[in-house]
Amino acid sequence: MAKTTTSNHAAAARQRGVTMNDVAKHAGVSRTAVSFVLSNRENASISEETRARINEAVQVLGYRPNAGARALASQRSDWYGIVTEIVTAPFAVDIIKGAQDQAWLDRRFLLIAPSDQADAVGPNQGMEDAAIEKLLEQRVEGLLYAATYHRGVHVPESANEVPTVLINCFDADGRLPSIVPDERAGGRVAVERLLQAGHRRIGVINLDPDIPAAVGRLAGAREALADAGLELDPELVVPGHATADGGYEAACEILDRYTEKDRPTALFCLNDRMAMGAYDAIKERGLTIPGDIAVIGFDNQELIAAYLRPKLTTVALPFEKMGALGVQTLAALTAGQPIIADQQLVGCPLLERSSV
Amino acid sequence: MAKTTTSNHAAAARQRGVTMNDVAKHAGVSRTAVSFVLSNRENASISEETRARINEAVQVLGYRPNAGARALASQRSDWYGIVTEIVTAPFAVDIIKGAQDQAWLDRRFLLIAPSDQADAVGPNQGMEDAAIEKLLEQRVEGLLYAATYHRGVHVPESANEVPTVLINCFDADGRLPSIVPDERAGGRVAVERLLQAGHRRIGVINLDPDIPAAVGRLAGAREALADAGLELDPELVVPGHATADGGYEAACEILDRYTEKDRPTALFCLNDRMAMGAYDAIKERGLTIPGDIAVIGFDNQELIAAYLRPKLTTVALPFEKMGALGVQTLAALTAGQPIIADQQLVGCPLLERSSV
DNA sequence: CCAAGTAGGTAACGCGCGTTACTAGCGCAT
DNA sequence: ATGCGCTAGTAACGCGCGTTACCTACTTGG
């Protein structure tokens, strides 16, 4: 009964917003005392008894601090902002999640701004500027700028007003710290896995050869082969369009080009979408995975890799980890610590499934 | 040159935060005048000349309003909050995007709170409460509560303190307005499409028969058949686990059970993941899609539907639209307008691709 | 020449809170 | 009695802004 009354009281009071003043009155103390207790001030001398009275009043009235007012008075918001090109892109989301989780652990709030409105008119740049502007209006203490695929970017100038960290991309103008996947190590681990399974003739379905992902992954593949005393046969590297259809066509070409003896026994597809297409090409020819041809992908696009049959062994891009690291780096920067490194590389773990 | 100076000036000033006072001084007017100009007040009488001077000062100094202070003074935040179980779930993200875009159009900001931290300890409920609490501390004016799959939910009590709208779920206690997909109409359109293509014997790979998705889609399928003077053969409805493997097994069962003559010529898979498995079963038996067997899915899980070969014809769940509608409904509620309806149904459009 | 507008502003309060400076009371040594 | 140091607080300012009430010219009609 008493409990019901209390909770009703709380609900009613909240309607109009219970303030510290209300709490102070209820506890019979000054608002300052309440503030001291709530912010757990070290050198404040408040007796245990009044402290208890205040805490009780907070409970009874259902007091909830006003984050905006607190930010205004204390001149710090505890907010970070993240702006990313395509909020619904499968990868952007994982970055956001990693950052969000980490921010939550640090008792901070992550404001997420879209930079690609559905009905945006004109160049994307304008949208991005507006998003950053909006975040700065909220007085975020730091900014995260994330790309959906690893590449160089030009960050709007307004980002320079607060500490900024780039995720999954790097500053083409070379001033801002960034966090990117270690593509090279990822390519290496993929091919090492194939070598370990006994494959010596490995086909590679390549991406656009100019992007960092292709450059890094291919370099890693070469390293792994070199370690085993092998070389990458240029003929076995076929270009592919970064889709399932592209992978299908590339796989067809490589499979039909050789006799059964010369045919590669494994395919390293530089992304999972292409691997998905390669599966079709392989199955179409009556070959089995991994019996006749082993396949390894890259990206770990869950919806594909985990549902293909057999499930696809692939190398994961560490999006969540990059997001978390981004927040940590930002925390360090806003705390005035020096930058750890211009560019932090994050490892790409191999995910063993059933296609090798 | 002059421009450089200006922008430097602006950058330097922003460091310490340019306030309205600074603008007022620069323009030689009172802060009130600045406020009037910036908020475009109707009945304020400011001459065109001083208005121009103020606007110029804003430009020169690089003034940016402080959203927190504004919220504090005006007693309205222009913020909505959204809390959803699994931020990275493929569907949740689309809801967020729809809501985000709409909020942006309405010049509002959407705060996104996760209710499923990676390292959450104990029951999920605690996390959700904390997330809502955090949003209320930011003084959001309304709350969106989204689920990743259509179902009944219990919303934490604290959500009652501000207008709340449910998306892709409904209040099991029946008090809050909700927005859900029209599963029945979706099921109907799927089967109508198959009928239109000449199929008369249609297999259905079902979901857990108790969830709203299964109930609605199946009911819609029955309606479509009834309109064509047909009945749904109970034997042709096989239960499936909601994964690719589940779809594979269900499809195997239905394909192997009949002779070529009695075999259904089309499969309605109640989700795309199962359709993905069904593809494998069909191809494995040397049958072609859609030549021998047409397949239609549900959900439009892009990464699957758009990359399967042939691309999967499916019925889309209108996540973005639901998100947008959620924000619109919230806007109406916070404006004091009466609720349009307890439950708003949103249509599920058919996406024609190549599997029918 | 005077009262009554009207255009063009400004002073001052309060939003909810953090923070600094100050005070009142008390025990204790001088 | 006086001074000192300590505990347990409180008064008051300011954060940046919206808003109301008010004030001062300058017309305009009578």
Side-chain angles (χ1 to χ4, degrees), chain B:
Chain B
M1 192 57 156
K3 183 148 185 239
T4 304
T5 309
T6 297
S7 91
N8 279 350
H9 185 174
R14 276 177 195 172
Q15 292 292 345
R16 308 185 186 284
V18 180
T19 74
M20 268 196 179
N21 257 317
D22 302 328
V23 175
K25 268 179 211 156
H26 187 101
V29 296
S30 73
R31 196 181 53 70
T32 308
V34 178
S35 176
F36 284 174
V37 167
L38 291 186
S39 54
N40 253 325
R41 253 175 98 99
E42 301 278 320
N43 52 349
S45 51
I46 307 281
S47 70
E48 270 315 309
E49 192 212 318
T50 58
R51 183 183 302 271
R53 268 218 320 288
I54 290 173
N55 281 325
E56 193 206 320
V58 165
Q59 288 295 325
V60 171
L61 298 181
Y63 170 74
R64 185 173 11 243
N66 181 321
R70 175 176 286 177
L72 186 58
S74 68
Q75 299 287 76
R76 43 188 315 245
S77 64
D78 285 346
W79 294 343
Y80 292 149
I82 183 169
V83 22
T84 177
E85 325 162 275
I86 312 186
V87 171
T88 55
F91 295 147
V93 167
D94 292 319
I95 295 175
I96 291 175
K97 173 152 177 63
Q100 179 96 273
D101 286 359
Q102 182 64 43
W104 193 269
L105 287 180
D106 296 354
R107 330 220 115 227
R108 295 174 161 281
F109 208 94
L110 188 68
L111 302 185
I112 303 166
S115 71
D116 64 325
Q117 290 317 105
D119 51 349
V121 190
N124 196 18
Q125 192 62 24
M127 200 60 227
E128 248 175 33
D129 283 343
I132 292 179
E133 194 66 20
K134 188 97 178 174
L135 290 176
L136 290 176
E137 283 184 11
Q138 316 291 330
R139 295 303 188 265
V140 293
E141 292 179 6
L143 230 38
L144 254 31
Y145 184 100
T148 49
Y149 71 95
H150 185 177
R151 66 178 204 276
V153 296
H154 293 278
V155 180
E157 223 191 300
S158 49
N160 290 323
E161 297 179 31
V162 294
T164 300
V165 174
L166 305 189
I167 299 182
N168 201 33
C169 53
F170 50 90
D171 187 0
D173 310 328
R175 285 174 316 215
L176 299 170
S178 63
I179 295 169
V180 295
D182 191 343
E183 312 273 10
R184 202 184 43 69
R188 173 189 270 267
V189 76
V191 170
E192 279 174 353
R193 177 67 186 85
L194 293 176
L195 288 169
Q196 179 205 325
H199 300 281
R200 287 296 172 269
R201 204 159 153 69
I202 299 173
V204 176
I205 300 186
N206 202 2
L207 288 164
D208 172 350
D210 292 332
I211 64 175
V215 173
R217 293 169 197 181
L218 217 51
R222 281 211 186 80
E223 283 183 17
L225 287 168
D227 285 356
L230 300 172
E231 265 190 36
L232 182 61
D233 182 351
E235 273 198 1
L236 285 181
V237 179
V238 299
H241 188 237
T243 63
D245 282 341
Y248 174 79
E249 283 159 23
C252 286
E253 191 196 318
I254 212 169
L255 290 176
D256 294 341
R257 192 197 292 161
Y258 301 100
T259 65
E260 192 176 332
K261 285 195 176 172
D262 294 336
R263 196 171 58 202
T265 60
L267 288 181
F268 175 24
C269 303
L270 259 55
N271 80 19
D272 289 353
R273 294 221 298 267
M274 297 194 303
M276 188 175 179
Y279 264 49
D280 277 337
I282 294 168
K283 290 180 180 173
E284 228 177 61
R285 281 158 183 72
L287 302 173
T288 63
I289 306 171
D292 297 314
I293 310 256
V295 176
I296 195 162
F298 210 111
D299 287 1
N300 188 35
Q301 211 148 12
E302 284 281 339
L303 241 47
I304 294 176
Y307 290 120
L308 280 177
R309 301 168 39 81
K311 299 191 202 317
L312 179 66
T313 294
T314 189
V315 178
L317 285 172
F319 289 113
E320 289 200 20
K321 192 174 280 184
M322 290 196 290
L325 194 53
V327 168
Q328 287 172 341
T329 306
L330 215 45
L333 283 180
T334 53
Q337 292 175 26
I339 303 174
I340 308 164
D342 281 354
Q343 176 153 308
Q344 298 180 64
L345 292 177
V346 182
C348 302
L350 175 71
L351 290 191
E352 298 267 7
R353 283 195 268 249
S354 319
S355 65
V356 173

Side-chain angles (χ1 to χ4, degrees), chain A residues 14 64 117 133 161 280, chain B residues 14 64 101 133 161:
Chain A
R14 275 177 192 171
R64 182 171 15 241
Q117 290 317 108
E133 194 67 19
E161 297 180 31
D280 276 336
Chain B
R14 276 177 195 172
R64 185 173 11 243
D101 286 359
E133 194 66 20
E161 297 179 31

